[in-house]
Amino acid sequence: MRVSATQELKLFGIGASDGICIGQAYLVDKKGVDVIKRYVIPEHALANEMNRFKTAVSNADDELHAMIEASPEDLRQHVNIYETHIALLKDKMLYGRILAHIEKERVNAEWALKKVIANIKLMFQNMDDSYLRERDADIEHISELILRNLVGAKQENIADIDRRVILVAHDLSPADTSQINLERIMGFITDGGSKASHTSIIARTLGIPAVMGLETASRKINTDDIIIADGTQGIVIVHPSEKTILFYEERQERYEQHKAIIARDCNITAETSDGFKMKVMGNIELPEEVVAVRDYGGDGIGLYRTEFQYLSRHAFPSEDLLFESYKDVVEVMHPLPVTFRTLDINGDKVLRYSIDNYHEDNPALGLRAIRYCLKHPDIFIVQLRAILRAAVYGNVRILFPMISSCLEIKETQRLLDEAAASLAAENLPHKRDIEVGIMIEVPAAVMMADVMAPKVDFFSLGTNDLIQYTLAIDRGNRQVAHLFNPLHPAIIRMLKRTTDMASDHNIGVFICGEMAGDPLYTPLLVGLGIKELSMSPFAIPIVKQTVRSLSFKECQQFTHDILQLTNATEIFGRLKEKFGGRHYQDADASEEPFNGKTA
Ligand code: PEP
Ligand code: MG
């Protein structure tokens, strides 16, 4: 490896996914089209400039047609919006005016586009006609599309990177991250984000190191710089010296060895010394991750985040495509269960081919998950039918996200019946008699748990969102990441209430939020009597091992005592004091031979 002569530099962030990687940086620059400059076009070049604009519009037109083509037949009505955009592209008010502006003002096409769009938007805003006012978002959309084609800014495609690198980005969306190819991407680091974001969750599922919340990394690192990303400590070292590389290579090896030792016992049941059995399952985002769940001894799939299959595409998947991939997962896991969490679109997981035409100021509190699906039942039904068809091939459970009222449960059950009835009418093999559960991740659901329990077969606690919504902390916001704490007494009390209500009504209660995969919390969760945890596949062996090291009775007493405490620091201290030594800690982490300067 080429070692740089430049002095090494250490950057501090948030350890988002464990492990260490050492290699060349690859800067993902997403700022492409932000800055538009005005320049004058000489008379003789005007025709060329106008043609450049016409070509950009024609390419944008091709892109929109391709998106329509890629949409499945049964969801074609949702691509009306693209038809509207195609019509707007050639609208005289826009197309004609921009060409006239280039010619008359002798300016570049980008500038003319910006000026004309600004005028049209102003005009729309002052109109009484609500239809026209609502076209504002369409205008914005096509303006971006033309602009991208004008400046030739390619949509950065992570899937196209063709060498082994560590990604460096200002930000990565969950959709970007879902394109990561493990043969090429060793790990990633970002300026924004936090440990609870979906982007970091994917890193953990993929088992690659990630450091987030670095603030300035994308400005300080260039493509091809040698960097070390330490996802366990949340540290990045740029231009490391030979000595530092050696030190980290040794740590990397120790970490891998430790993982291998724990993984050796991963198929042994997770049972406490006094006979309490815990099912330890895996969370997956994409069908191919199912292999890791099997390899690491998972007792099933406790959370299949099905929206990622939608996020990694350019158009809605068809029912047959979903069915085939669901069937594969169900067959690989058979006879172990696969829990399909229905689409949790929006919040930070926005589709590229969104069919809605509005802007949300607070997307986490917006039309997300079950709300989105109930607003678009035709999209929802396609997925429900695919799940019911796949259920014929194994052990399937269905899980509805972000439930906050009994009405939502009623409506989802009705749609599930409707999906089953339509399959029956078409004589398509399917299974309706499957377990139906809800995510408990909105405080309202905790408060209503007693009323909701008799209506469903199980609860699955989504601690990531439960913490976000209970403590009013945006889970992706770096500024409040330090406040995101599963040990906040309010959260522990909510877990207690939910498990009590589930046990009163004799239904299952599981945890599939990230809290389940941290062995530090395992004694607390065992003490609450939770019998199933689901986590990133790589965490399964250590959590199983931790369960085996515990006594249920001792955990119950401990949890009882913890519930009397009123502050998170004290609870953390007690956990560390009593159980802290039972999971992996890198003893040498604080002995780095670091002599560079701190950012
Ligand atoms: C959760 O909220 O805890 C959860 C498991 O779902 P997600 O992280 O996908 O929102
Ligand atoms: Mg959630």
Side-chain angles (χ1 to χ4, degrees), residues 198 303 305 341 368 439 441 462-465 475 512-513:
H198 283 100
L303 173 67
R305 291 184 165 98
R341 202 242 331 251
R368 183 187 159 186
M439 298 276 299
E441 54 183 348
T463 46
N464 309 335
D465 279 313
R475 58 193 271 192
C512 63

Side-chain angles (χ1 to χ4, degrees), residues 283-347:
N283 291 351
I284 62 167
E285 279 81 44
L286 292 167
E288 50 270 30
E289 293 161 6
V290 68
V291 183
V293 178
R294 283 229 84 127
D295 287 353
Y296 285 91
D299 297 316
I301 291 177
L303 173 67
Y304 181 174
R305 291 184 165 98
T306 58
E307 58 277 6
F308 280 89
Q309 207 174 351
Y310 287 67
L311 287 170
S312 58
R313 298 171 47 83
H314 295 279
F316 283 104
S318 66
E319 178 185 316
D320 281 343
L321 191 140
L322 291 175
F323 163 63
E324 290 298 339
S325 61
Y326 293 173
K327 176 171 166 269
D328 284 350
V329 174
V330 171
E331 283 181 335
V332 172
M333 290 310 293
H334 185 75
L336 301 173
V338 178
T339 313
F340 287 88
R341 202 242 331 251
T342 59
L343 271 180
D344 185 355
I345 288 297
N346 284 342

Side-chain angles (χ1 to χ4, degrees), residues 9 86 139 395 493 505 544 546:
L9 170 72
I86 289 169
I139 294 281
N395 186 351
R493 285 169 189 224
H505 291 89
K544 279 184 137 183
T546 307

Side-chain angles (χ1 to χ4, degrees), residues 194-309:
S194 72
K195 195 165 181 168
S197 69
H198 283 100
T199 299
S200 81
I201 288 173
I202 298 172
R204 292 196 286 279
T205 307
L206 295 173
I208 55 172
V211 184
M212 302 179 80
L214 285 155
E215 291 184 343
T216 53
S218 71
R219 275 188 271 137
K220 293 187 170 143
I221 300 172
N222 294 309
T223 291
D224 292 342
D225 280 350
I226 299 295
I227 60 172
I228 298 173
D230 177 349
T232 311
Q233 300 288 311
I235 293 169
V236 171
I237 297 160
V238 193
H239 310 304
S241 69
E242 229 159 299
K243 193 173 158 205
T244 308
I245 291 181
L246 210 66
F247 173 80
Y248 273 93
E249 277 174 349
E250 277 169 18
R251 272 194 57 203
Q252 190 180 28
E253 209 179 303
R254 267 203 313 279
Y255 175 75
E256 294 302 331
Q257 276 169 1
H258 174 82
K259 261 196 349 188
I261 289 169
I262 292 181
R264 243 186 262 155
D265 293 338
C266 71
N267 287 315
I268 302 176
T269 309
E271 182 173 350
T272 62
S273 56
D274 47 355
F276 176 86
K277 282 201 182 109
M278 175 73 85
K279 287 226 162 63
V280 184
M281 324 262 269
N283 291 351
I284 62 167
E285 279 81 44
L286 292 167
E288 50 270 30
E289 293 161 6
V290 68
V291 183
V293 178
R294 283 229 84 127
D295 287 353
Y296 285 91
D299 297 316
I301 291 177
L303 173 67
Y304 181 174
R305 291 184 165 98
T306 58
E307 58 277 6
F308 280 89
Q309 207 174 351

